[in-house]
DNA sequence: CGTCCATTTGAGGTGGATCAACCCTAGTGG
DNA sequence: CCACTAGGGTTGATCCACCTCAAATGGACG
């Protein structure tokens, strides 16, 4: 489990170097790599492929170029808690220490950009702007985790699903429609529910006209206000 | 909610200045304040007193000198999720941004040491060691939150209570005994359970000889191995 | 010694889990 | 182009872990 099982330069990679970020303001990763002149490499993973395991050495920090990633923890009997979904532009695998605290897998075919963690650490050691940015990114993850603890500890199934839909709507809606990359089981493992409970909640919202389907994973929110009301 | 309702220098305070930390290695806060020469102030809160509210400006960063603190989020109908308990030596209220994401209250009579957040920010802007330390502290909180999401999303009531006991044993046991500062309701709100379920789990562990009571909050773990087995 | 909470314990209810079909659709191969 | 298949999704029936409501007990403190 502790061995690095791939060599990013071996398969389907591309040296990117200094990149003009696609989203100059919001692209935190590009802001750093561009600023410090780090070399970034692109790498692709197929659906359900492991990117790194829990408790593996944190050799790289990643940014999703396209696709989607889940990070999760497992109990010994297989129960799984997904901590976060990472979509295009998101950074994941950033650790202050040397070990990944969650495992990461591609949800669908995914391309990532990656840099060595030690090179970021080194940059942070000479540039306080970089150090500040790394802290802010970790703090952003902490904020999400704190919100998610409230959801997992205290919200009902319908409230959790409503929260999830509003989060995904905010993060990946295009033209009022969202194309979910993940299956019902992933959603359940993110929300601390079973896939059946997620499906029932979505069906109920559909029956109430709050959302529309075009295929199980293509969802249109028809009434965000009522969804907000369902979310505690 | 957004107004700062106390003046730390007004009541029962004491200017501490550069402190020789009681725990030279583990005292992260002292390491910073001592290193940079920041002025720390001591302040005391009575049991159940609010230290700061959710979404208040983060004017200070705190370290527990004595006592215990809970940080939590509320839903509009009063449901509460406690994110963490902070015991002697722990830092809390550290934010990368300008706002506190959780509220904080004293669980029992508590004394804290505090420094202005902006002074820490300033120190981090000139000293990369300080910046590194602040990042590491936030990353430590994130690690705890990630572990706690797994607990809240996927563990059974007995597993949660076992995890809680092992955590408190590690953090506050003296001579094999722990004196819990918090009530059953606080434990429940930390574990995503009701106070009755917490009580029943503790009674069951007592009946099995895994722990001993001397008063409801004085607990001795008699068999850590069996407790570990109960914790997934 | 009495009061006030915190805690424990009991009885019963329920939201979500589990177990089990069934359905839909995208992909595959003929 | 269509039949077949497999995996994901939906829906139904039942179960049970935990919640809710209620009452008794206990311990700390005046």
């Amino acid at each position: 489990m502790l061995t690095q099982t791939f060599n990013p330069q071996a398969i389907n990679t591309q040296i990117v170097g200094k990149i003009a970020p696609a989203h100059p303001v919001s692209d935190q990763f590009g802001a750093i790599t561009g600023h410090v002149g780090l070399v970034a490499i692109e790498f692709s993973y197929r659906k359900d492929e492991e990117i790194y395991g829990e408790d593996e050495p944190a050799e790289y920090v990643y940014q999703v170029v396209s696709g989607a990633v889940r990070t999760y923890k497992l109990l010994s009997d297989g129960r799984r808690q997904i901590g976060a979904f990472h979509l295009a532009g998101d950074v994941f695998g950033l650790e202050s220490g040397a070990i990944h605290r969650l495992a990461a897998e591609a949800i669908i075919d995914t391309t990532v950009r990656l840099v060595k963690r030690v090179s970021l650490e080194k940059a942070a050691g000479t540039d306080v702007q970089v150090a500040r940015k790394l802290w802010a990114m970790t703090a952003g993850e902490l904020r999400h985790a704190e919100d998610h603890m409230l959801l997992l500890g205290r919200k009902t199934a319908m409230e959790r699903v409503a929260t999830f839909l509003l989060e995904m709507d905010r993060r990946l809606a295009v033209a009022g429609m969202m194309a979910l990359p993940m299956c019902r089981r992933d959603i359940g493992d993110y929300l601390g529910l079973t896939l059946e409970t997620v499906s029932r909640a979505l069906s109920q919202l559909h029956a109430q006209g709050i959302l529309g389907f075009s295929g199980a994973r293509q969802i249109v929110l028809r009434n965000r206000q009522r969804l907000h009301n369902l979310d505690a």
Side-chain angles (χ1 to χ4, degrees), chain A:
Chain A
M1 288 301 182
L2 290 176
T3 53
Q4 196 69 23
T5 55
F6 71 88
N7 174 354
Q9 298 184 325
I11 314 164
N12 188 23
T13 65
Q14 172 189 354
I15 295 190
V16 177
K18 297 185 187 181
I19 318 120
H23 311 284
V25 176
S26 65
D27 183 355
Q28 306 189 316
F29 201 61
I32 290 174
T33 57
H35 182 58
V36 191
L38 294 177
V39 174
I41 292 173
E42 289 204 354
F43 191 78
S44 292
Y45 299 89
R46 279 157 306 176
K47 176 173 153 66
D48 295 328
E49 194 176 349
E50 175 174 303
I51 300 172
Y52 52 79
E54 191 175 338
D55 295 328
E56 261 186 25
E59 191 170 359
Y60 299 98
V61 179
Y62 304 77
Q63 182 183 37
V64 178
V65 173
S66 66
V69 171
R70 57 182 172 251
T71 53
Y72 62 92
K73 280 176 169 288
L74 291 178
L75 293 175
S76 51
D77 62 359
R79 279 173 288 172
R80 181 179 67 160
Q81 179 62 45
I82 292 179
F85 293 119
H86 302 279
L87 310 176
D90 295 344
V91 172
F92 68 98
L94 174 62
E95 304 284 346
S96 170
I99 299 293
H100 286 299
R101 298 297 169 185
L102 292 82
E105 286 175 355
I107 295 172
I108 53 179
D109 290 354
T110 296
T111 299
V112 301
R113 188 182 302 160
L114 50 84
V115 300
K116 281 197 178 291
R117 187 181 63 86
V118 290
S119 66
L120 275 185
E121 291 264 3
K122 194 176 168 210
T126 57
D127 187 332
V128 293
Q129 297 298 339
V130 171
R132 188 70 183 73
K133 198 72 179 174
L134 294 177
W135 181 27
M137 287 195 286
T138 296
E141 287 189 71
L142 175 59
R143 173 151 41 93
H144 180 269
E146 289 164 344
D147 291 342
H148 211 57
M149 284 193 288
L150 176 63
L151 178 148
L152 294 171
R154 288 302 181 215
K155 289 188 182 180
T156 66
M158 185 54 82
E159 288 167 350
R160 294 178 202 210
V161 171
T163 303
F164 170 77
L165 288 170
L166 290 168
E167 179 188 355
M168 288 302 137
D169 180 54
R170 176 173 53 77
R171 292 175 63 191
L172 54 69
V174 181
M177 155 153 304
M178 56 183 146
L180 297 177
M182 73 290 287
C183 65
R184 298 291 187 265
R185 178 175 296 279
D186 285 344
I187 299 172
D189 284 352
Y190 179 58
L191 299 179
L193 301 170
T194 61
L195 65 93
E196 292 95 332
T197 297
V198 171
S199 179
R200 279 183 242 272
L202 291 173
S203 294
Q204 196 178 327
L205 293 171
H206 186 220
Q208 293 174 227
I210 291 174
L211 59 80
F213 283 113
S214 39
R217 299 190 188 180
Q218 293 275 339
I219 297 180
V220 183
L221 298 191
R222 301 207 185 284
N223 194 330
R224 286 176 181 73
Q225 185 55 55
R226 278 180 36 188
L227 211 49
H228 254 297
N229 297 343
L230 289 178
D231 173 17

